[in-house]
């Protein structure tokens, strides 16, 4: 599997503001695999920082690997850059050696790297020789420790990892999820159009049930079209979670309107061979009604009235027989 495979950047708004703080970094590995325990990551922090941090020129580091949710072209990068100007880089990024001499490939810390490229100077980096699986686990665990990704962000990262060919165990370790947890995320993301998620954004605080409820409306309403129309009326600064709620309310309303229209149903005028009306057939969500207007067909109305019960019973028995013969 090529480690240069890039995941789609589907969010058009920044995640929660990232501040430089002394957060833990993944621990070194004795083999090419990282441990799944977050506690183990924290316990080995001192060993990592004492032995592995280097000052590297940013232009020697290539943006590589799956991009889970980090967006590099947003206003919060400038805020992060300003923090680094004032206080310095408090948390190192992690890189691994590239196939090209004297170059490195990013494992995690893409936002910090982008900010330091604006500030100027070298970037503090932990250099680890990791394979693709171990790099992915390091990326996922560091994001979980520092950024608390939302449900839909984890779902998208899982989808990208699966499409890139990573094994289930690696995906579980990267996000600290059980096999059932991974399945719960994947079931929801498979029902949602990519464009809908991109329009709404990370939506922190919106969980599996809410995203699942929105996905369930896809058979009753055009979710993407409604989302475009709804979000066009909102300010650009609207938080992503508020965008979700606005889109969900609009889609629910549209779905209810479609259901009500179905309940109201349709009425069809039944005509004879000459084109004259015989009666009307009304069908809605609750009943089927045949209506004969006495003034239009008084004799037929009288004839049908005398035979209605017998005729209806015969039709019911015919239906039973046809159903029985077809089973």
């Amino acid at each position: 599997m090529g480690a240069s495979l890039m995941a789609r950047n589907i969010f058009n708004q920044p995640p929660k503001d990232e501040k430089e703080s002394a957060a833990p970094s993944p621990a070194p590995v004795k083999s090419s695999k990282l441990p799944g325990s977050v506690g183990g990551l924290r316990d080995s922090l001192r060993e990592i920082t004492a032995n592995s941090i280097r000052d590297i020129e940013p232009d020697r580091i290539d943006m590589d690997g799956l991009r889970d949710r980090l967006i590099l072209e947003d206003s919060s990068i400038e805020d992060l850059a300003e923090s680094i100007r004032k206080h310095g880089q408090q948390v190192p990024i992690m890189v691994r050696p590239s196939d090209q001499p004297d170059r490195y490939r990013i494992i995690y810390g893409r936002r910090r790297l982008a900010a330091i490229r604006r500030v100027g100077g070298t970037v503090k980096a932990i250099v680890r020789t990791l394979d693709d699986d171990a790099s992915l686990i390091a990326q996922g665990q560091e994001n979980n420790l520092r950024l608390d990704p939302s449900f839909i962000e984890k779902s998208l990262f899982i989808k990208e990892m699966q499409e890139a060919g990573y094994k289930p165990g690696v995906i579980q370790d990267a996000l600290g999820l059980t096999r059932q947890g991974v399945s719960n995320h994947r079931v929801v993301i498979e029902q949602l159009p990519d464009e809908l998620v991109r329009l709404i954004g990370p939506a922190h605080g919106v969980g599996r049930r809410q995203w699942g409820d929105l996905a369930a409306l896809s058979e009753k309403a055009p979710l993407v079209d409604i989302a475009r129309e709804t979000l066009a009326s909102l300010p650009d600064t609207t938080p992503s979670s508020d965008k979700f709620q606005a889109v969900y309310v609009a889609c629910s309303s549209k779905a209810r309107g479609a259901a009500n229209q179905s309940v109201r149903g349709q009425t069809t005028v039944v005509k004879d061979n000459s084109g004259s009306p015989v009666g009307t057939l009304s069908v809605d969500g609750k009943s089927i009604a045949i209506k004969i207007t006495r003034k239009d067909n008084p004799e037929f109305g009288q004839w049908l009235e005398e035979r209605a019960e017998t005729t209806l019973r015969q039709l019911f028995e015919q239906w039973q027989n046809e159903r029985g013969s077809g089973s």
Side-chain angles (χ1 to χ4, degrees):
M1 177 186 57
S4 61
L5 178 62
M6 300 294 290
R8 290 165 291 177
N9 175 14
I10 74 162
F11 289 138
N12 61 359
Q13 72 172 61
K16 293 193 305 182
D17 189 25
E18 177 187 359
K19 298 296 183 183
E20 289 288 313
S21 60
S25 301
V29 288
K30 295 181 180 180
S31 66
S32 63
K33 301 293 183 183
L34 285 178
S37 168
V38 173
L41 300 180
R42 293 193 177 99
D43 292 342
S44 301
L45 174 62
R46 291 183 180 178
E47 181 181 350
I48 295 177
T49 55
N51 300 322
S52 304
I53 293 181
R54 303 181 193 175
D55 291 323
I56 301 175
E57 293 293 336
D59 59 6
R60 290 165 54 193
I61 302 174
D62 299 320
M63 290 297 186
D64 182 42
L66 292 174
R67 292 180 61 182
D68 41 22
R69 74 168 191 153
L70 302 180
I71 300 176
L72 303 183
E73 299 81 14
D74 63 71
S75 59
S76 66
I77 292 295
E78 186 56 45
D79 295 336
L80 183 57
E82 183 60 28
S83 175
I84 293 175
R85 286 191 189 97
K86 292 180 179 179
H87 308 293
Q89 181 190 351
Q90 301 298 312
V91 181
I93 69 171
M94 181 177 279
V95 298
R96 55 176 171 164
S98 171
D99 295 336
Q100 302 179 28
D102 205 26
R103 295 197 66 81
Y104 302 89
R105 296 153 62 186
I106 190 77
I107 296 175
Y108 64 69
R110 289 165 175 77
R111 289 169 52 80
R112 275 163 278 169
L113 178 59
I116 290 170
R117 281 175 169 164
R118 297 189 183 190
V119 172
T122 59
V123 58
K124 297 183 185 301
I126 301 167
V127 180
R128 303 294 296 167
T129 302
L130 304 177
D131 63 15
D132 289 345
D133 288 355
S135 296
L136 188 77
I137 293 171
Q139 177 183 353
Q141 291 190 348
E142 201 266 355
N143 285 342
N144 280 338
L145 286 171
R146 287 175 47 79
L147 301 179
D148 187 26
S150 69
F151 170 83
I152 202 65
E153 288 174 319
K154 288 182 181 179
S155 299
L156 287 163
F157 194 26
I158 288 169
K159 181 180 179 181
E160 296 294 350
M161 287 187 284
Q162 290 181 330
E163 291 179 350
Y166 285 97
K167 296 179 179 179
V170 173
I171 297 173
Q172 292 169 39
D173 287 344
L175 291 174
L177 295 173
T178 64
R179 180 165 59 181
Q180 184 60 49
V182 170
S183 177
N184 290 341
H185 285 72
R186 185 62 195 258
V187 165
V188 173
I189 197 63
E190 285 180 341
Q191 300 177 65
L192 292 165
D194 283 351
E195 186 176 354
L196 178 68
V197 179
R198 181 168 56 248
L199 288 168
I200 293 174
H204 289 279
V206 178
R208 176 168 69 97
R209 182 186 60 79
Q210 293 163 292
W211 278 105
D213 289 346
L214 179 60
L217 297 174
S218 61
E219 297 180 358
K220 304 175 183 178
L223 302 187
V224 174
D225 292 342
I226 296 172
R228 285 200 203 100
E229 181 179 353
T230 301
L231 297 178
S233 64
L234 298 180
D236 293 339
T237 56
T238 301
S240 180
S241 57
D242 291 347
K243 289 183 178 181
F244 175 91
Q245 294 301 332
V247 170
Y248 180 76
V249 168
C251 291
S252 297
S253 177
K254 191 74 172 181
R256 284 196 301 270
N260 290 338
Q261 181 65 32
S262 176
V263 167
R264 284 194 292 270
Q266 296 179 338
T267 298
T268 303
V269 177
V270 180
K271 299 180 180 180
D272 61 17
N273 292 333
S274 65
S276 299
V278 174
T280 58
L281 175 65
S282 298
V283 180
D284 59 27
K286 296 182 179 180
S287 64
I288 300 173
I290 298 174
K291 182 178 180 180
I292 307 298
T293 305
R294 290 185 183 275
K295 68 175 184 178
D296 294 335
N297 295 284
E299 295 181 2
F300 175 62
Q302 181 65 34
W303 181 89
L304 182 61
E305 182 179 359
E306 295 173 354
R307 295 166 175 78
E309 292 185 20
T310 301
T311 302
L312 181 59
R313 191 177 297 112
Q314 290 174 344
L315 289 173
F316 182 76
E317 291 174 354
Q318 180 181 345
W319 169 77
Q320 285 184 315
N321 293 334
E322 291 179 357
R323 186 178 65 167
S325 62
S327 60

